[in-house]
Amino acid sequence: MTDTPDGRPKRQIDTSRASSARLYDLYVGGKDHYGVDKDAGTRLTEAFGKGSIQRIGTGARLFHDRAVRYAARELGMDQYLDVGVGVPKGPNTHEIAQAVHPASRVVYVDNDPIVLRHAEALLQSGPEGATDYAEADLREPDEVLAIARRTLDLDRPVALMLCSVLQFVPDDDEARAAVTAYLSALAPGSCLIFSHVTDDFAPEAWRETERVYAEQGIPANVRPRAAIESLVADLDLVPPGLVEVHTWHPDGTDTSSDHTHLYGAVGHKRA
Ligand SMILES: C[S@@+](CC[C@H](N)C(=O)[O-])C[C@H]1O[C@@H](n2cnc3c(N)ncnc32)[C@H](O)[C@@H]1O
């Protein structure tokens, strides 16, 4: 059966184990998860306390929205490569970007088959722009860049998005190498929109989270600030730099001051 947007064989959804995309869907109040995800989510709620997991999901999503709006308005970005997009939970990157620049072009990538089931929402581009979705692994930058090239002009600046995804690349060197590989392939003027969960504020709860994910076959590395900083060390970060995401360019949409347990930043590729 070849029914992915790019004609590749469709992968099956494994409902016997939780997945990071479905767990995230649970955190942000979506409906695209199963009993096995809910069971894992219950253990995380026990570890963090009621409401905290939803807070992380909502804070991550609101950062996504503000950062894309910033890249579009302040940096003039009209091309986006959103890697680890997750189950669509509006507004999607292209909706935010095309509200500023209607001709914006966006390529979405994720390696979880649940996302493909909802890819239609990602493919509803405005008439002047374009979007594409493909299933691929961010640890294969050459493959992801080849997919991106079908829709984006890689000789022009691109906003690479790695939002709340590099914790699923546990090896520090591999995570750093991926960031470097993407940025070195992108044109001058490109930028990175980035967030990453941190264990700085609740180390015990995050160790339990890593255990729960590992039991589901999802290796994860929830990093302390220094390790996250090193992932973006080769970029020139726009002020205020790398901060907890709810404090990054607040615009009144995120009204909680509770920890989001994610550091986020927007950075320019160095010339
Ligand atoms: C926590 S969600 C983040 C969703 C979205 N980027 C956001 O910030 O709202 C992480 C997503 O990354 C995807 N993911 C994890 N590892 C990946 C990999 N190696 N390649 C591509 N996607 C990956 C998961 O399937 C999941 O959909």
Side-chain angles (χ1 to χ4, degrees), residues 20-21 24 61 84-86 110-112 136-138 163-165 168:
S20 62
Y24 187 65
R61 211 50 217 172
V85 53
D110 204 286
N111 71 344
D112 190 318
D137 194 306
L138 83 85
C163 288
S164 199
V165 63
F168 300 115

Side-chain angles (χ1 to χ4, degrees), residues 27 40 43-48 53 56 167-168 170 172 196-216 218-225 227-228 261 263:
Y27 308 156
R43 282 181 56 193
L44 301 186
T45 300
E46 282 163 9
F48 280 96
I53 293 291
I56 296 166
Q167 61 266 18
F168 300 115
D172 289 339
H196 191 301
V197 283
T198 182
D199 60 1
D200 281 0
F201 309 109
E204 286 311 313
W206 284 109
R207 290 296 82 77
E208 171 67 357
T209 303
E210 287 174 344
R211 271 194 293 277
V212 170
Y213 275 68
E215 285 168 20
Q216 301 299 322
I218 311 164
N221 183 0
V222 179
R223 296 179 166 94
R225 183 181 175 94
I228 297 173
H261 300 274
Y263 289 118

Side-chain angles (χ1 to χ4, degrees), residues 19-25 27-28 57 60-65 82-87 89 93 109-115 133-140 144 161-169 182 195 197 213 218-219 262:
S19 86
S20 62
R22 285 187 261 124
L23 279 165
Y24 187 65
D25 177 73
Y27 308 156
V28 296
R61 211 50 217 172
L62 290 171
F63 166 75
H64 162 275
D65 301 352
D82 189 345
V83 182
V85 53
V87 176
K89 176 84 178 156
T93 299
V109 172
D110 204 286
N111 71 344
D112 190 318
I114 190 83
V115 180
Y133 173 76
E135 204 171 286
D137 194 306
L138 83 85
R139 290 165 298 183
E140 304 290 346
V144 171
M161 299 176 62
L162 293 169
C163 288
S164 199
V165 63
L166 280 182
Q167 61 266 18
F168 300 115
V169 182
Y182 287 108
S195 66
V197 283
Y213 275 68
I218 311 164
L262 286 129

